[in-house]
Amino acid sequence: MTADQTLWLIEDDPAVRHASSQSLRLAGFTARAFNDAESALAALGDQLPDTVVCDVRLPEMDGLAFMARLLRTDPGIPVILITGHGDITMAVQAMRAGAYDFIEKPFPPERLVEVVRRALEKRRLTREVSRLTEELARHAGAAIIGECAAIQNLRRLVGALGPTSVDVLLHGETGAGKEVVAHALHAASGRTGPFVPINCGGLPESVFESEMFGYEAGAFTGATKRRIGKIEHAHGGTLFLDEIESMPLALQAKLLRVLQDHRVERLGGNASIEVDCRVIAATKDDLKVLAEQGRFRADLFYRLNVAVLQLPPLRERKEDIPLLMAHFLSEAAQRFKLPAPTWGAVDVLRWQAHDWPGNVRELKNTAERICLGLSDGLSAKEGEDGGPPGLVSQLEQAERGFIRSALKVSQGNVARASELLKLPRKTLYDKLARYGLRAEDFRDSQASN
């Protein structure tokens, strides 16, 4: 039971009411007790309970009538009915009417505590799903989902750069969502032309030039008719060059010419054709290092290195995992025409303990497996005893990830990081020492992960 959850107990028998309250208190729950349904109804105006334990046999209004009134106010409140011996048929009818569960008198304290614990967890999950649904609604129409500081800043930059004509370079690990951000920039640009993606790492070098620049009939053997290239096709829209580090060096020079002159020549042709397209390039590598090594043209790098957007890996934004998972589960459920599966805090801890080397793309695939009723496929990290990590270990891994994310966003500024984490500065320094993290390691924008 969390601090903000409320539990009501409605029981007219003083002995049962006292014993039940004491059992719940010893288990860590605090119940507000009522001796009849009428006084409980009168209290509804103050605060709705998260879970109700109610005797069916009450002096005036019985538990079934009370449950009906309560569920009209909020159908999501779990109601646990206490029934007398021999009332099983009535209890089954109550379950059909919306009761969460029932307990038959006389009952052991452990039975009451267990049912209450499950009911409160169900209520907590219901509220969490509702919160995530509201957050997803706020993201409606926005492709970039997340609430961490880095993602909020990324959305701000997309909104600012989108309407401009500046070319953009996206830098991030494989699966971090570079094409999603490119689509968002295109959508924010107001351009009416197409979004034309090219995977530079997936095109054989032998056809790269013809695919990019097009060709005239007779330009080479097999060129029987004119073909419009990708660059020309993107006129009025956006050309997305994914894995640009894989582009052959010879073609990088031709691309640079297009970026500078906004004109393209088809293979085998003499005409210079004007093109108005915005170029968004994406890379998982450091292009400056590649340029210094002679593996990427320095002049093209400096031409692209104007507006650079960094995409954080998922392991540095683990607080966004529940929101992303809710989004992908909803998408998968609609696509497969299946009900969205339920999940809880234990699942979130397991997901947040995972490193996600495939980033958001891996998370999306995991959501699809879960929706299909399969295992999430995540192997638990083994401890010294060969078993999965305990709760404390998983929480520490998640906390360390949050602190790293805040330090990276604040570029090693501990005061700013403590504001982002909503932690006192002294507490943050203690945690830095505990996890072996140094703020100065994050003051270089190229700090390693």
Side-chain angles (χ1 to χ4, degrees):
M1 182 175 181
T2 60
D4 60 340
Q5 286 187 298
T6 55
L7 171 64
W8 285 8
L9 171 65
I10 307 172
E11 172 59 68
D12 64 322
D13 186 324
V16 176
R17 186 169 64 247
H18 175 73
S20 299
S21 295
Q22 187 176 44
S23 298
L24 291 167
R25 184 167 58 254
L26 289 173
F29 304 123
T30 302
R32 182 179 179 182
F34 302 88
N35 58 12
D36 56 54
E38 289 76 16
S39 57
L41 281 176
L44 286 177
D46 301 330
Q47 182 184 27
L48 287 176
D50 290 295
T51 293
V52 173
V53 179
C54 182
D55 195 356
V56 172
R57 308 294 181 181
L58 294 172
E60 295 185 28
M61 177 185 288
D62 65 21
L64 293 176
F66 171 78
M67 181 182 73
R69 291 277 298 274
L70 177 66
L71 295 183
R72 280 200 297 268
T73 304
D74 186 342
I77 298 174
V79 178
I80 302 163
L81 294 176
I82 300 175
T83 67
H85 180 68
D87 286 340
I88 298 300
T89 301
M90 180 272 296
V92 172
Q93 293 174 348
M95 295 282 285
R96 291 174 178 168
Y100 172 74
D101 207 341
F102 69 91
I103 306 174
E104 185 181 7
K105 291 181 181 179
F107 52 84
E110 297 81 10
R111 165 70 174 156
L112 173 65
V113 169
E114 177 57 27
V115 175
V116 166
R117 180 175 286 114
R118 284 192 287 105
L120 285 168
E121 176 64 8
K122 178 180 184 294
R123 180 64 166 170
R124 189 193 66 77
L125 288 175
T126 300
R127 284 186 162 175
E128 178 66 6
V129 169
S130 177
R131 183 188 69 80
L132 291 172
T133 301
E134 290 177 3
E135 286 194 26
L136 287 173
R138 288 196 296 108
H139 287 291
I144 307 170
I145 294 174
E147 287 299 310
C148 74
I151 292 299
Q152 290 189 45
N153 185 55
L154 182 62
R155 276 200 300 269
R156 181 186 64 79
L157 290 172
V158 167
L161 294 174
T164 71
S165 60
V166 65
D167 297 329
V168 179
L169 178 63
L170 305 178
H171 183 261
E173 294 180 6
T174 299
K178 297 186 287 293
E179 186 163 354
V180 170
V181 175
H183 272 288
L185 284 164
H186 176 67
S189 71
R191 288 175 169 265
T192 57
F195 177 88
V196 181
I198 300 177
N199 184 344
C200 299
L203 278 178
E205 187 169 351
S206 57
V207 301
F208 203 111
E209 187 171 13
S210 61
E211 283 290 315
M212 285 280 290
F213 299 95
Y215 52 82
E216 298 286 357
F220 51 83
T221 303
T224 57
K225 59 181 180 179
R226 172 186 293 172
R227 177 181 171 84
I228 301 299
K230 298 289 188 182
I231 296 175
E232 192 176 346
H233 180 55
H235 180 71
T238 300
L239 180 70
F240 175 54
L241 301 174
D242 197 10
E243 297 185 26
I244 194 171
E245 71 276 5
S246 302
M247 180 179 287
L249 285 170
L251 295 182
Q252 291 178 23
K254 295 191 69 172
L255 174 63
L256 178 63
R257 187 73 174 267
V258 172
L259 294 178
Q260 292 173 337
D261 300 342
H262 300 285
R263 306 188 75 84
V264 65
E265 291 183 9
R266 304 187 192 110
L267 293 179
N270 296 317
S272 179
I273 303 157
E274 184 176 357
V275 288
D276 172 25
C277 69
R278 189 217 210 126
V279 174
I280 301 175
T283 180
K284 62 182 182 298
D285 296 328
D286 188 330
L287 295 184
K288 183 177 181 182
V289 172
L290 295 183
E292 292 170 350
Q293 297 172 347
R295 297 163 56 197
F296 194 85
R297 288 188 64 101
D299 47 6
L300 179 58
F301 163 68
Y302 288 113
R303 177 63 179 77
L304 293 171
N305 194 44
V306 177
V308 182
L309 300 186
Q310 296 285 343
L311 279 67
L314 188 54
R315 64 180 173 276
E316 293 182 5
R317 48 179 294 217
K318 290 190 175 182
E319 61 269 47
D320 285 339
I321 286 177
L323 186 61
L324 288 163
M325 186 62 84
H327 170 70
F328 290 133
L329 284 173
S330 176
E331 273 193 345
Q334 291 180 20
R335 184 164 63 257
F336 299 138
K337 296 181 172 55
L338 293 170
T342 58
W343 43 278
V346 174
D347 299 304
V348 173
L349 285 172
R350 185 174 66 258
W351 298 332
Q352 290 182 328
H354 185 57
D355 284 338
W356 299 104
N359 291 296
V360 178
R361 184 181 300 154
E362 182 185 359
L363 182 76
K364 182 177 181 180
N365 292 340
T366 299
E368 292 182 351
R369 285 198 298 270
I370 294 172
C371 192
L372 291 169
L374 305 174
S375 164
D376 60 21
L378 304 182
S379 57
K381 294 182 178 178
E382 295 188 352
E384 292 181 1
D385 59 356
L391 177 62
V392 172
S393 174
Q394 294 186 61
L395 287 171
E396 287 178 347
Q397 290 179 42
E399 184 176 58
R400 189 176 188 275
F402 297 157
I403 293 173
R404 284 178 57 85
S405 179
L407 286 172
K408 188 166 185 178
V409 169
S410 65
Q411 295 185 334
N413 185 318
V414 176
R416 175 62 180 144
S418 68
E419 292 175 2
L420 292 171
L421 294 167
K422 295 182 173 58
L423 280 178
R425 200 177 305 179
K426 183 181 183 304
T427 301
L428 180 55
Y429 274 116
D430 290 342
K431 290 183 182 294
L432 291 177
R434 177 181 178 184
Y435 294 126
L437 297 172
R438 302 190 313 162
E440 53 266 31
D441 291 342
F442 296 83
R443 288 172 189 153
D444 183 347
S445 61
Q446 300 299 321
S448 65
N449 294 321

